[in-house]
């Protein structure tokens, strides 16, 4: 075979090699893009920090500890929050008016939620006889099975509304609650108004500090 006839064969082999190399590089770039997208989703889906809840005149003043509070007369009304619970029951937060309500947004998929779960149960047991009710809002769990397992694993005894699509959180006045911040916690005063919030996981100490100002609050307007 002449050199001239062998040249096209070498050229074809070179082209096929180049095509395979280019294809491999494209697949690597595609996989990298998928990994980056998943990582971004996880970061946005479970945040253990942050103090911003968007705009809106909610009267919140955020302290250095990440806990925001609003004075009486400047507090937003809590929205209507009712529906099916993780364990198949029914809860209407309006039934607790006259009590202080600690509202905790959580998901079984969220590591910071797991870190704070026992803190919430411990504090709940200590204060439930002082006119305080804890209520959870379970979000982004696609079924109640993982949420029920979470409650069993961490000994959670207070009810949690099942809100997989986050619709209940969207009922809050703009600036009151960031639907993307999970976990987050609100304190609703005895008049049914949002008195405090934090968009981070809470230690037992921070939860007690957040709740303490409202335990002795009788709900009467400030003089």
């Amino acid at each position: 075979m002449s050199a001239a006839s062998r040249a096209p064969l070498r050229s074809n082999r070179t082209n096929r090699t180049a095509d395979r190399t280019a294809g491999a590089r494209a697949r690597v770039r595609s996989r990298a893009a998928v990994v980056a997208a998943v990582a971004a989703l996880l970061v946005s889906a479970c945040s253990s920090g942050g103090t911003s809840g968007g705009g809106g005149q909610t009267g919140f003043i955020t302290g250095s500890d990440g806990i925001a509070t609003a004075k009486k007369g400047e507090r937003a009304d809590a929205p209507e929050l009712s529906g099916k619970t993780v364990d198949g029951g029914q809860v209407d937060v309006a039934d607790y008016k006259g009590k202080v309500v600690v509202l905790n947004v959580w998901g079984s998929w969220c590591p910071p939620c797991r870190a704070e779960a026992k803190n919430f149960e411990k504090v709940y047991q200590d204060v439930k006889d002082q006119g305080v009710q804890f209520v959870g809002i379970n979000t982004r769990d696609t079924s109640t099975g993982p949420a029920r397992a979470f409650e069993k694993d961490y000994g959670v005894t207070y009810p949690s509304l099942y809100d997989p699509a986050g619709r209940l959180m969207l009922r809050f006045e703009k600036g009151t609650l960031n639907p993307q911040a999970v976990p987050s916690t609100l304190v609703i005063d005895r008049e049914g108004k949002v008195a405090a919030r934090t968009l981070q996981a809470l230690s037992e100490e921070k939860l007690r500090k957040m709740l303490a100002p409202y335990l002795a609050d009788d709900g009467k307007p400030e003089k």
Side-chain angles (χ1 to χ4, degrees), residues 55-200:
Q57 301 301 316
T58 55
F60 281 125
I61 299 174
T62 304
S64 59
D65 56 5
I67 296 173
T69 57
K71 295 180 180 179
K72 282 187 177 181
E74 299 180 10
R75 298 171 184 172
D77 289 326
E80 188 274 328
L81 298 169
S82 63
K84 183 180 177 181
T85 61
V86 164
D87 62 4
Q90 292 285 326
V91 159
D92 187 342
V93 173
D95 292 341
Y96 301 127
K97 191 170 183 179
K99 291 187 174 184
V100 176
V101 176
V102 177
L103 196 67
N104 177 243
V105 180
W106 63 278
S108 68
W109 43 268
C110 173
C113 300
R114 295 194 288 270
E116 71 175 6
K118 288 187 177 181
N119 302 331
F120 274 74
E121 179 60 27
K122 188 174 191 308
V123 175
Y124 172 61
Q125 292 299 328
D126 289 347
V127 301
K128 65 181 182 179
D129 294 330
Q130 299 178 48
V132 180
Q133 177 64 49
F134 279 36
V135 178
I137 296 181
N138 171 260
T139 187
R140 301 185 202 166
D141 275 312
T142 56
S143 69
T144 58
R148 289 197 305 270
F150 178 102
E151 291 186 333
K152 181 178 179 181
D153 289 345
Y154 294 99
V156 177
T157 60
Y158 52 84
S160 282
L161 290 160
Y162 181 54
D163 185 32
R167 292 189 177 92
L168 294 179
M169 287 185 284
L170 294 176
R171 295 180 182 179
F172 283 87
E173 184 175 328
K174 186 178 181 181
T176 302
L177 183 65
N178 183 346
Q180 299 302 316
V182 182
S184 55
T185 300
L186 300 176
V187 175
I188 300 173
D189 68 19
R190 299 183 192 278
E191 295 180 319
K193 298 180 180 293
V194 182
R197 68 131 188 246
T198 187
L199 309 180
Q200 60 183 330

Side-chain angles (χ1 to χ4, degrees), residues 35-52:
V35 170
V38 171
L41 178 61
L42 290 175
V43 169
S44 67
C46 188
S47 169
S48 61
T51 57
S52 175

